[in-house]
Amino acid sequence: MNIQGMNDLQRIEVKLDNNCITQGIDAGEFYLAYQPQVDASSGALIGFEALMRWNSKTMGAISPDSFIKVAECGSAINNIWGHLLSTIACDRCILDHYQSPFLHLALNLSAVQLPQPRLAIEIEKWMDENSIDGSQIHIEITESALLSDGDQVIKNLMRLNEMGINLWLDDFGTGYSSLRHMRDLPITGLKIDKSFVSDLEENLDDFRIVSAIVAMSNSLGLKTIAEGVETESQAQILGQLGCNILQGYLIGRPDSMETLTSRWLPQHMNQV
Ligand code: G
Ligand code: G
Ligand code: MN
C-alpha cells in the first residue's frame, strides 16, 4: 500500500519512530490524564488510572495505542516509563496535599518491560526517593506480558508484590485468560476488558462471561475491576454480580490531576 492509500492513523504510524517519541517527551509534549476508579458498592473514590497522552506539535494528538506499539520496538518505552514515574511523583504530591494517601495511582506497564532485570529495583528506588508507599501504587499488566513467564518475569512480579504493590491483569478476557496465571501469580485481581462491558445489558453471552469471571475471581480470592462503564444499568449489573471496582465515562473521563482533585476531593475529604 502506498502512503496515499493509508488512513490518518496509518500515516502517523509510518512517521512515528523511537527518535520522534523521545524528542516529543523532551519537548514536553507528553502528559498524563487520570481516570477515577470507584468502589462498586459504595461509589467512593479509591484511586485513579494514569493514562499517557501525546499532543505532538507537528502531528497533533496521537493515541497511546499507536505510540506505545512503536515505542515497544525500541528504547522509547523506557523513556515513556521514566516520564510516567517523574510525573506521577509530582502528581502524588497534589494528592498528599489533600491528605489522601489512601488513594492509589494505577500505572500501565508495557509487556516488554517485565523481563528487564532492573525493573523492580528501579521502581523501589523511585518509591524511596519520593516517599511513596507500595500500597499507593497499582500496576496493570496485559497478559501477553506474561506469556514468556521466564524466571526474571516471575522474580519481578514477586518483588513488586513484596513491595506492597497491587498487580492487576489488564484487558482480561481478550488474550490468554490463563487460569494458571490466576492461580500462580501474586496478583490482586483482574481488569475486565471494556468489550465485555459495553453490551452487558443486551448481550446474554457477555453477561454470562462477566458473571463467570467475577465468580471465579471471588472464589480464588482475587478482585475485579470493570473498565469502560458508561451507563447506570451497567454499573448496577456489575455491582450485583460482585465486581469490586468500576471505571468508565459514567464515573468520569480521563482528565488532569488538578481538575479531578478539585472535582472529587473537596467532597470526599478535608483539604489541608
Ligand atoms: O485511554 P486510552 O486510549 O489511553 O489507552 C489506550 C491503551 O494504551 C490502553 O490499553 C492503555 O493500557 C495503554 N496506555 C495508556 N497509557 C499507557 C502508559 O503509560 N504505558 C503503557 N504501556 N500503556 C499505556
Ligand atoms: O489500560 P486500559 O485498557 O485499562 O485503558 C483503558 C482504556 O479505556 C483507555 O483507552 C481509556 O481512555 C478507555 N476508556 C475509559 N473509560 C471508557 C469508557 O467508559 N468507554 C470507552 N469506550 N472507553 C473508555
Ligand atoms: Mn490499564
Side-chain angles (χ1 to χ4, degrees), residues 17-19 21-22 25 70-72 74-81:
D17 61 23
N18 268 257
N19 273 343
I21 293 174
T22 303
I25 297 172
V70 175
E72 283 174 336
S75 60
I77 195 70
N78 289 325
N79 299 336
I80 291 176
W81 180 248

Side-chain angles (χ1 to χ4, degrees), residues 63-95:
S63 129
D65 284 327
S66 306
F67 67 75
I68 295 286
K69 222 184 311 160
V70 175
E72 283 174 336
C73 301
S75 60
I77 195 70
N78 289 325
N79 299 336
I80 291 176
W81 180 248
H83 183 62
L84 176 79
L85 294 187
S86 54
T87 312
I88 294 266
C90 294
D91 288 342
R92 181 75 244 170
C93 297
I94 303 180
L95 287 183

Side-chain angles (χ1 to χ4, degrees), residues 3-253:
I3 197 148
Q4 273 85 27
M6 296 176 177
N7 63 31
D8 282 353
L9 189 61
Q10 287 168 324
R11 268 186 233 117
I12 285 171
E13 282 186 11
V14 166
K15 282 197 262 171
L16 275 188
D17 61 23
N18 268 257
N19 273 343
C20 83
I21 293 174
T22 303
Q23 279 163 14
I25 297 172
D26 293 343
E29 296 171 355
F30 281 69
Y31 61 96
L32 284 177
Y34 293 89
Q35 190 173 30
Q37 297 183 332
V38 297
D39 181 281
S41 42
S42 69
L45 178 70
I46 56 166
F48 297 102
E49 177 178 9
L51 294 158
M52 193 59 84
R53 296 284 178 258
W54 182 11
N55 199 0
S56 160
K57 284 190 189 83
T58 51
M59 293 178 277
I62 301 170
S63 129
D65 284 327
S66 306
F67 67 75
I68 295 286
K69 222 184 311 160
V70 175
E72 283 174 336
C73 301
S75 60
I77 195 70
N78 289 325
N79 299 336
I80 291 176
W81 180 248
H83 183 62
L84 176 79
L85 294 187
S86 54
T87 312
I88 294 266
C90 294
D91 288 342
R92 181 75 244 170
C93 297
I94 303 180
L95 287 183
D96 287 344
H97 175 71
Y98 282 89
Q99 286 185 321
S100 50
F102 51 85
L103 291 177
H104 67 249
L105 292 178
L107 286 56
N108 290 285
L109 184 70
S110 160
V112 300
Q113 295 176 272
L114 212 47
Q116 294 176 355
R118 293 189 51 77
L119 178 74
I121 300 165
E122 275 162 13
I123 294 177
E124 195 162 21
K125 182 163 163 266
W126 168 77
M127 283 171 30
D128 285 347
E129 284 170 358
N130 295 287
S131 308
I132 292 172
D133 191 74
S135 63
Q136 300 172 331
I137 300 299
H138 289 202
I139 291 185
E140 300 184 5
I141 39 182
T142 46
E143 248 195 323
S144 60
L146 302 168
L147 255 193
S148 64
D149 53 357
D151 282 357
Q152 191 57 54
V153 168
I154 302 294
K155 257 191 221 162
N156 276 337
L157 293 177
M158 295 293 179
R159 186 69 203 116
L160 293 172
N161 178 53
E162 281 162 17
M163 284 150 57
I165 293 176
N166 288 270
L167 301 169
W168 293 84
L169 293 189
D170 208 352
D171 307 326
F172 191 80
T174 59
Y176 299 90
S177 311
S178 157
L179 303 180
R180 190 169 59 82
H181 288 155
M182 288 177 73
R183 186 193 62 190
D184 295 343
L185 297 175
I187 53 170
T188 299
L190 311 176
K191 192 158 184 187
I192 303 168
D193 190 69
K194 55 180 175 290
S195 59
F196 299 107
V197 175
S198 56
D199 286 331
L200 197 55
E201 301 116 305
E202 293 91 29
N203 186 324
L204 194 56
D205 284 341
D206 285 346
F207 176 83
R208 287 176 176 143
I209 289 170
V210 173
S211 316
I213 295 175
V214 174
M216 193 157 55
S217 302
N218 282 347
S219 58
L220 287 168
L222 300 175
K223 292 190 171 166
T224 44
I225 299 184
E227 69 175 12
V229 181
E230 293 185 354
T231 67
E232 286 289 354
S233 63
Q234 287 165 358
Q236 207 177 353
I237 294 170
L238 289 159
Q240 281 162 0
L241 291 177
C243 178
N244 304 100
I245 302 172
L246 305 180
Q247 177 180 348
Y249 297 161
L250 174 71
I251 294 118
R253 289 182 177 258

